[in-house]
């Protein structure tokens, strides 16, 4: 399988998955009201701020695993905007490591099935919580989205085909 970017390795697919995570995560985060970080649907559930902190921890863990370490930390949520910045910086660090040609110690499938897939799942939770909090995120045909390997920052392209 060859991607639009010309890559065909498992690391290329991981990098495109990180770009997808940044795009879809950025969409779920953009425009959230300040109060959203503390929104809670029931006692004992995580707030969006706590979920986003967990996603940042997952990306830190992904980098550690890629480098051959199994270092997990359970961070307390930062203020919302700082946590958003932390997420994109953590994704950037994982992508840079994968792009560097450095040895990938952890098998790519393990990186995907663990921290990366978990992060995708949690962004689904954040999107659902946006709707429940009265600040929904528009659906989108992600097949038509302009997602490019290496574009993992907060600056993402405008959606091509959103649903009302």
């Amino acid at each position: 399988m060859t991607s639009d970017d010309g890559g065909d390795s498992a690391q290329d697919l991981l990098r495109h998955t990180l770009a997808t995570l940044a795009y879809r995560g950025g969409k779920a985060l953009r425009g959230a009201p300040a109060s959203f970080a503390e929104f809670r649907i029931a006692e004992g559930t995580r707030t969006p701020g706590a979920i986003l902190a967990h996603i940042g921890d997952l990306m830190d863990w992904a980098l550690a695993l890629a480098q051959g370490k199994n270092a997990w930390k359970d961070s307390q949520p930062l203020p919302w905007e700082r946590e958003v910045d932390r997420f994109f910086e953590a994704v950037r660090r994982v992508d840079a490591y994968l792009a560097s040609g450095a040895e990938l110690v952890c098998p790519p499938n393990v990186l995907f099935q663990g921290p990366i897939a978990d992060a995708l799942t949690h962004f689904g939770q954040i999107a659902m919580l946006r709707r429940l909090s009265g600040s929904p995120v528009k659906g989108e045909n992600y097949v038509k989205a302009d997602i490019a390997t290496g574009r993992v920052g907060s600056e993402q392209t405008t959606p091509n085909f959103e649903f009302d």
Side-chain angles (χ1 to χ4, degrees), residues 8 25 46 67 101 109 121 124 137 143-144 157 159:
D8 61 1
R46 284 183 180 163
Q67 296 170 336
N109 60 313
T121 299
V137 177
V143 169
K144 296 184 178 188
T157 58

Side-chain angles (χ1 to χ4, degrees), residues 87-97 152-153:
F87 160 68
F88 285 111
E89 178 57 26
V91 173
R92 186 202 62 74
R93 285 193 313 272
V94 177
D95 183 67
Y97 185 81
V152 294

Side-chain angles (χ1 to χ4, degrees), residues 112-137:
F112 177 79
Q113 75 190 31
I116 295 172
D118 199 20
L120 287 164
T121 299
H122 288 304
F123 271 120
Q125 290 176 313
I126 288 176
M128 180 186 66
L129 290 171
R130 286 282 304 266
R131 181 165 298 281
L132 291 171
S133 73
S135 179
V137 177

Side-chain angles (χ1 to χ4, degrees), residues 64-69 97 102-108 111:
L65 289 171
Q67 296 170 336
K69 306 169 200 155
Y97 185 81
E103 179 185 7
L104 182 57
V105 179
C106 181
L111 277 180

Side-chain angles (χ1 to χ4, degrees), residues 7-157:
D8 61 1
S9 73
Q11 283 181 249
D12 293 328
L13 184 57
L14 282 177
R15 290 192 66 221
H16 191 77
T17 303
L18 290 172
T20 301
L21 179 66
Y23 182 90
R24 292 180 77 139
K27 184 170 180 151
L29 300 173
R30 237 182 337 275
S35 61
F36 179 64
E38 298 304 319
F39 178 73
R40 188 181 304 272
I41 59 171
E43 188 62 37
T45 62
R46 284 183 180 163
T47 64
I51 294 169
L52 186 55
H54 179 66
I55 294 169
D57 292 341
L58 288 167
M59 292 298 96
D60 290 343
W61 185 41
L63 180 59
L65 289 171
Q67 296 170 336
K69 306 169 200 155
N70 191 4
W72 174 259
K73 66 177 181 177
D74 203 6
S75 300
Q76 292 301 310
L78 300 169
W80 183 254
E81 287 304 319
R82 286 185 48 210
E83 203 61 68
V84 169
D85 291 344
R86 176 180 175 238
F87 160 68
F88 285 111
E89 178 57 26
V91 173
R92 186 202 62 74
R93 285 193 313 272
V94 177
D95 183 67
Y97 185 81
L98 293 172
S100 74
E103 179 185 7
L104 182 57
V105 179
C106 181
N109 60 313
V110 173
L111 277 180
F112 177 79
Q113 75 190 31
I116 295 172
D118 199 20
L120 287 164
T121 299
H122 288 304
F123 271 120
Q125 290 176 313
I126 288 176
M128 180 186 66
L129 290 171
R130 286 282 304 266
R131 181 165 298 281
L132 291 171
S133 73
S135 179
V137 177
K138 286 187 176 184
E140 181 175 349
N141 180 342
Y142 290 102
V143 169
K144 296 184 178 188
D146 180 21
I147 298 172
T149 299
R151 188 185 308 137
V152 294
S154 61
E155 296 300 320
Q156 296 289 322
T157 58

